Amino acid sequence: MLGRWFLAFAFYYPLTMAWFWMLGAVNYYLRRERTSPSRTHPPDLPYWPKATLVVPCHNEGDNARDTLAYLADQDYPDFEIIAINDGSRDNTGAVLDELTAEYPQLRVLHFPKNQGKAMGLRMAALAANSEFLVCIDGDALLDRYATRWLMWHLVTGPRVGAVTGNPRIRNRSTLLGRLQVGEFASIIGLIKRAQRTSGRIFTVSGVIAGFRRSALHQIGYWSTDMVTEDIDVSWRLQMDYWDIRYEPNALCWILMPETLKGLWKQRLRWAQGGAEVSRRYIKNLLIWRKRRMWPVLIEYILSVIWSYTILVVLVFGIVGLVIPLPPWLRMPGPLPTWYGAMLGTTCILQFLISMVIDRRYEQRLGRQFFWIIWYPLAYWLLGMLTTVVALPTALRKRRGTRAVWESPDRGIR
Amino acid sequence: MRAERPIIYHPERQSPKQRFTTQTLKAIALAIWLYIWIPLLSTILWVMGVHVTYTHLVRAPEHKSWLLILIIMMTCNVVVSSWSIYNYTRFAGKNRRRGSAPVSHETVGKSFGVSDPETLSLLLHERRLNLHFDNAGMLVHVEPLVAEDKAEQLEESVSP
């Protein structure tokens, strides 16, 4: 009996969520995306306030030149760039200083010691000469029109506190890289669209997001003690009744890990970030006035329960192959049956829908579809394991522990 | 009685050059092996996926479960559509809450513990700055970095 309940939840939760994501994303596409102008023709703004482009860097000596070149080439009439050299041990500082001669809009803040990304963003907000901040990572390349797209939302929506863009993977040499191309398009893009339809977003993408400084000021800016400052700031903005929008036309080309170790570390950090944020704000959210955030919180909690459920199903499924278990603890073997086939087919359908929606942002995306067959196996397992490992770490973490930079794996270059 | 095997196995005695060459060749071989096999494995996975789907969903479908899936799909659709329509009719074109006025540089400065106008001016206008923090993460000192050519000019003008 117990085993049946576990199995039912393990099956129906991802199935239901997949349908929510697909239908929400299709709804978003039909209502907002299909009729929007093309990426290279962003709408005109009623006025053109100054924008501050912020790029925190830690050991980005190899990437800073490209990142800054893309930033300086933005199709926006009035902007400054603030680069933060956060205790880098390589030549990042020298490169950024050198680039100040090349780009008159560029200003550089040097931190002698590593203070963490959140502190870099906080200091950029302090040094900014504008009300609007467009923040990207030090290894990301911002599409020429992205600033205009993000600024359009911030200027025309007085209650828009933040806008998140559309990260696209640059490095695709390995299977892990190619899988992430599909993942960012289908899982992440689809979820962002669906959450935008529902009204509340789990998180902005830390690698590309625009912010209104007065909104950040009201919530006390980015927290320096959360491992994922982007999830934290997203929740606090929305708890303060600011809207967060998703703009798929605001592209940003990013580097992702291409080794198992690098990917594991990154996903563990993401999983820990979600757990930390939920733990910190769950009490504040359990009031009627914050009800619009409830779906985000409930979905997160269910996803954690699902991870542990899958672990139990897997463990008892394997143990059951060796030792006879009582009927109420019996789980199915590793080979997929009707349930596995249904989940796998739904997952593939989800990818297919996302590829159709996403094709306007990237040509020949369908090529990556072939590799997606690995996704249900590899990434669901990875997601489950990172959540299982990260939750105890997040629960044990003491408040106020500063989160500082660790250079991530950036794949094959 | 078994004969003692006259085998010599001392990989640690290889010269660094030999070791490097061996490891490089191994890595190349592994890369080629993976490069060849991953597309094949992916194809096999696709074939297996299609076969499992055909076997369980088409050839011998469980009708009761299909009905449940249909109910889930319909419910999701109704929830998403109604929520979207409700939000559109209630909130489209209306801003129930007002936006906030931009915060002044002085107000932002105060929230970071910077009330000195000179420091604030440095932060807002200097192109290269060193920022120092205490252990609690509070900004304690802001130091402008003079460009090298300017520094040289300054030194020349000061020197007798």
Side-chain angles (χ1 to χ4, degrees):
Chain A
M1 184 66 187
L2 187 69
R4 275 183 62 192
W5 278 104
F6 268 104
L7 280 177
F9 181 66
F11 172 68
Y12 287 112
Y13 168 71
L15 187 84
T16 311
M17 288 320 298
W19 279 104
F20 264 120
W21 302 142
M22 283 189 280
L23 292 164
V26 169
N27 186 296
Y28 176 90
Y29 175 74
L30 294 176
R31 258 187 63 194
R32 301 175 194 276
E33 206 167 353
R34 193 180 49 155
T35 50
S36 81
S38 73
R39 177 183 64 83
T40 52
H41 293 88
D44 278 338
L45 273 65
Y47 65 104
W48 301 87
K50 192 186 192 87
T52 301
L53 313 184
V54 179
V55 50
C57 305
H58 174 70
N59 297 341
E60 300 288 4
D62 293 340
N63 305 308
R65 283 179 199 284
D66 287 345
T67 302
L68 267 297
Y70 273 74
L71 282 182
D73 192 39
Q74 287 300 295
D75 179 35
Y76 192 80
D78 187 11
F79 66 90
E80 64 176 348
I81 305 169
I82 297 181
I84 300 102
N85 167 32
D86 188 0
S88 299
R89 291 183 304 275
D90 67 352
N91 62 341
T92 304
V95 171
L96 291 175
D97 282 345
E98 200 183 304
L99 290 172
T100 53
E102 208 169 315
Y103 304 120
Q105 318 96 316
L106 174 63
R107 293 195 288 136
V108 183
L109 307 178
H110 295 275
F111 297 176
K113 281 184 189 167
N114 178 357
Q115 300 289 333
K117 184 179 173 185
M119 183 62 86
L121 295 169
R122 286 168 70 89
M123 289 303 110
L126 171 62
N129 283 292
S130 82
E131 164 71 354
F132 304 103
L133 312 172
V134 172
C135 307
I136 68 161
D137 278 359
D139 56 358
L141 308 179
L142 190 63
D143 184 70
R144 186 157 192 264
Y145 306 97
T147 300
R148 264 178 75 168
W149 279 106
L150 296 175
M151 286 295 287
W152 182 81
H153 288 280
L154 292 165
V155 169
T156 56
R159 285 302 300 177
V160 175
V163 190
T164 182
N166 186 355
R168 318 292 300 184
I169 314 280
R170 284 169 67 197
N171 47 335
R172 303 166 181 198
S173 310
T174 62
L175 180 63
L176 284 181
R178 286 174 221 150
L179 277 176
Q180 288 173 97
V181 175
E183 182 195 24
F184 267 70
S186 91
I187 306 288
I188 295 177
L190 219 66
I191 289 176
K192 287 267 194 315
R193 286 178 178 91
Q195 288 180 335
R196 174 80 179 96
T197 302
S198 81
R200 286 291 179 261
I201 283 176
F202 180 75
T203 182
V204 297
S205 299
V207 67
I208 163 69
F211 294 95
R212 183 185 301 278
R213 188 166 67 169
S214 51
L216 291 170
H217 186 76
Q218 285 187 11
I219 61 159
Y221 300 91
W222 292 268
S223 303
T224 53
D225 63 346
M226 304 297 262
V227 292
T228 49
E229 81 300 326
D230 45 2
I231 306 179
D232 177 75
V233 83
S234 307
W235 281 47
R236 286 190 296 121
L237 279 171
Q238 293 176 113
M239 282 160 63
D240 198 39
Y241 310 107
W242 290 96
D243 276 336
I244 294 184
R245 289 190 186 168
Y246 172 57
E247 180 45 73
N249 283 291
L251 302 189
C252 187
W253 297 94
I254 64 171
L255 297 173
M256 292 299 277
E258 283 193 289
T259 61
L260 279 173
K261 190 183 168 191
L263 191 66
W264 170 261
K265 279 175 79 173
Q266 184 201 49
R267 299 305 160 108
L268 196 63
R269 194 176 69 83
W270 288 5
Q272 189 183 332
E276 279 183 13
V277 169
S278 309
R279 178 195 166 197
R280 185 170 291 182
Y281 303 121
I282 191 165
K283 274 188 192 164
N284 305 5
L285 286 174
L286 297 179
I287 54 169
W288 180 246
R289 277 171 61 82
K290 311 280 185 196
R291 63 191 177 280
R292 289 191 76 194
M293 278 299 281
W294 290 356
V296 174
L297 179 69
I298 292 167
E299 200 277 311
Y300 175 74
I301 292 171
L302 286 177
S303 74
V304 172
I305 297 172
W306 181 80
S307 295
Y308 279 91
T309 307
I310 288 291
L311 184 71
V312 169
V313 169
L314 279 179
V315 167
F316 282 98
I318 293 165
V319 171
L321 292 175
V322 187
I323 308 165
L325 291 171
W328 58 276
L329 262 180
R330 268 181 217 152
M331 303 290 172
L335 286 175
T337 55
W338 188 88
Y339 296 100
M342 179 51 81
L343 276 184
T345 309
T346 309
C347 180
I348 299 296
L349 181 67
Q350 188 177 334
F351 276 105
L352 204 59
I353 289 176
S354 73
M355 296 272 169
V356 171
I357 292 178
D358 244 40
R359 71 187 189 283
R360 61 185 281 170
Y361 307 109
E362 200 181 330
Q363 288 178 337
R364 290 180 293 186
L365 196 60
R367 278 180 177 190
Q368 309 302 330
F369 192 73
F370 176 66
W371 307 104
I372 291 307
I373 191 69
W374 290 89
Y375 191 89
L377 191 73
Y379 273 69
W380 284 358
L381 209 60
L382 182 71
M384 179 272 286
L385 287 173
T386 50
T387 306
V388 166
V389 174
L391 186 70
T393 315
L395 294 178
R396 278 198 309 266
K397 189 181 164 184
R398 281 171 55 192
R399 195 175 177 137
T401 310
R402 291 274 297 283
V404 290
W405 282 102
E406 279 182 46
S407 292
D409 168 23
R410 296 197 175 95
I412 295 170
R413 307 293 300 281
Chain B
M1 197 175 153
R2 257 186 215 173
E4 208 165 290
R5 296 184 301 166
I7 290 166
I8 302 164
Y9 182 71
H10 289 298
E12 73 280 3
R13 290 186 192 166
Q14 290 179 101
S15 69
K17 197 179 163 188
Q18 277 175 314
R19 203 168 296 165
F20 175 77
T21 313
T22 315
Q23 295 300 336
T24 311
L25 285 175
K26 269 190 200 170
I28 292 169
L30 189 67
I32 293 170
W33 192 86
L34 283 175
Y35 187 77
I36 292 168
W37 282 93
I38 283 178
L40 188 62
L41 281 176
S42 305
T43 313
I44 292 169
L45 273 179
W46 272 107
V47 171
M48 276 172 60
V50 170
H51 177 71
V52 168
T53 307
Y54 176 75
T55 310
H56 294 286
L57 302 188
V58 181
R59 210 174 61 190
E62 294 179 23
H63 297 288
K64 203 176 151 191
S65 307
W66 272 112
L67 184 69
L68 200 59
I69 300 293
L70 202 66
I71 292 169
I72 289 175
M73 279 168 53
M74 295 303 289
T75 313
C76 290
N77 200 4
V78 168
V79 170
V80 170
S81 307
S82 341
W83 183 245
S84 172
I85 292 165
Y86 164 75
N87 274 312
Y88 185 78
T89 48
R90 184 161 175 194
F91 298 112
K94 300 165 199 163
N95 273 310
R96 293 175 67 223
R97 294 188 175 85
R98 280 175 299 164
S100 60
V103 274
S104 68
H105 297 308
E106 289 73 23
T107 313
V108 176
K110 272 179 196 158
S111 68
F112 288 107
V114 179
S115 46
D116 170 30
E118 203 175 313
T119 309
L120 197 58
S121 171
L122 282 177
L123 281 162
L124 291 171
H125 305 298
E126 275 296 322
R127 294 195 63 202
R128 292 168 58 224
L129 290 165
N130 256 348
L131 271 58
H132 299 269
F133 301 86
D134 63 14
N135 288 337
M138 289 302 294
L139 182 63
V140 287
H141 182 54
V142 177
E143 167 197 9
L145 293 169
V146 185
E148 276 176 23
D149 50 343
K150 277 189 187 171
E152 278 169 17
Q153 282 173 14
L154 199 67
E155 271 178 28
E156 280 169 15
S157 64
V158 171
S159 59

